[in-house]
Every structure is written in structure tokens, then in C-alpha cells.
Amino acid sequence: MENEKQEIKLKNLSDYKSKKILQDYIKSSKSFYSSLGIDLNESIYNPKNSSLIIELQTSKKMQAYKNLIHGGVISAILDSSTGVLALIKASEKNKIILTKKLNITYLKILNPGNHIIVKSVIKKIENQDIYIEGELFDNNRPNKIIAKAKAIV
């Protein structure tokens, strides 16, 4: 169907098969995600290419050392993006997921106060494993990838 929306904000997944599981997940994990500056309701899911985009603002409470965001925070943000995308896919079949493996490659430093975009995409589904890749971009430095993730969920 050509007129079908390609991108859906998670809060608007009213007709989507996985709405109940997603709503429960978003509600139960709200405090965790808000501590990272993520509002899952505003995240954008594209069912056509099985991708998810999350945007957030980094803050000083995320820094480990003066003016540097902690690598663990970057990892948690990438894990969140790949995990939520896998949850959307798995919940279509009423399944819950857990991250089995997460490999992060750090490429650049990230500073507090920067707007970041995380893009995750499902690469393949094999048996019960969902293979996802994610990239974290610093919007203040266009086309600059800060970190990459490969996840098996």
C-alpha cells in the first residue's frame, strides 16, 4: 500500500500488533530511559526497513571525566536502541527479548550538551536471534559517527 506511513512514532502504534507489549515496556522502563534522556514515545519506527531512530540530548550528569560522556552511557544508549527495535519485532509474535551479545566500537569522544541521534536497523533474523546494528551520531558534528553497535538479541 503506497499511502501507508513509513515512519511511526512509538506513541502512535495504535494499530500495531505489538502495542500492548510496547506500552507495558515503555511504562515500566520510563525512569531508566528518562535517566538517559530518552523519550521512547517520541522514537520513530520504520516497519518498511525495520529501523528505529532515537534522539536525545546529552547532559553533564552523563560525564565520567571533565567534558567527556562516559562510555558506559554510550553503550546503554546503543543497547536501548537495538533492544527496543528487537522488542518491536519480537512482540509481533508475543515474545519478550533480552540482549545476548552487544559489541560496541567507540570512534570519537562525545561531549555533554550535544544532541545525538541513534539509528538502529535489523540486519537479519535467524532462528530466534535478531541481528541488529546501531550507530550513534553527534548532531553537532554531522556525519560523525561516535560509536557503532552490533547486537544479537
Side-chain angles (χ1 to χ4, degrees), residues 66-78:
K66 185 179 177 182
N67 220 23
L68 295 174
I69 299 298
H70 191 285
V73 172
I74 292 170
S75 177
I77 292 168
L78 283 162

Side-chain angles (χ1 to χ4, degrees), residues 8-16 19 22-23 26 39-45 52 88:
I8 307 166
K9 283 194 177 182
L10 292 190
K11 69 179 177 186
N12 297 331
L13 284 176
S14 57
D15 299 335
Y16 205 68
K19 182 183 180 192
L22 278 171
Q23 284 179 332
I26 289 170
D39 181 355
L40 286 179
N41 283 310
E42 296 301 317
S43 300
I44 298 172
Y45 173 60
L52 181 71
I88 292 168

Side-chain angles (χ1 to χ4, degrees), residues 54-90:
I54 294 176
E55 295 187 43
L56 63 126
Q57 190 79 19
T58 59
S59 69
K60 285 192 178 257
K61 67 182 180 182
M62 298 173 173
Q63 69 185 12
Y65 187 69
K66 185 179 177 182
N67 220 23
L68 295 174
I69 299 298
H70 191 285
V73 172
I74 292 170
S75 177
I77 292 168
L78 283 162
D79 185 31
S80 298
S81 177
T82 57
V84 169
L85 179 55
L87 176 67
I88 292 168
K89 203 65 173 166

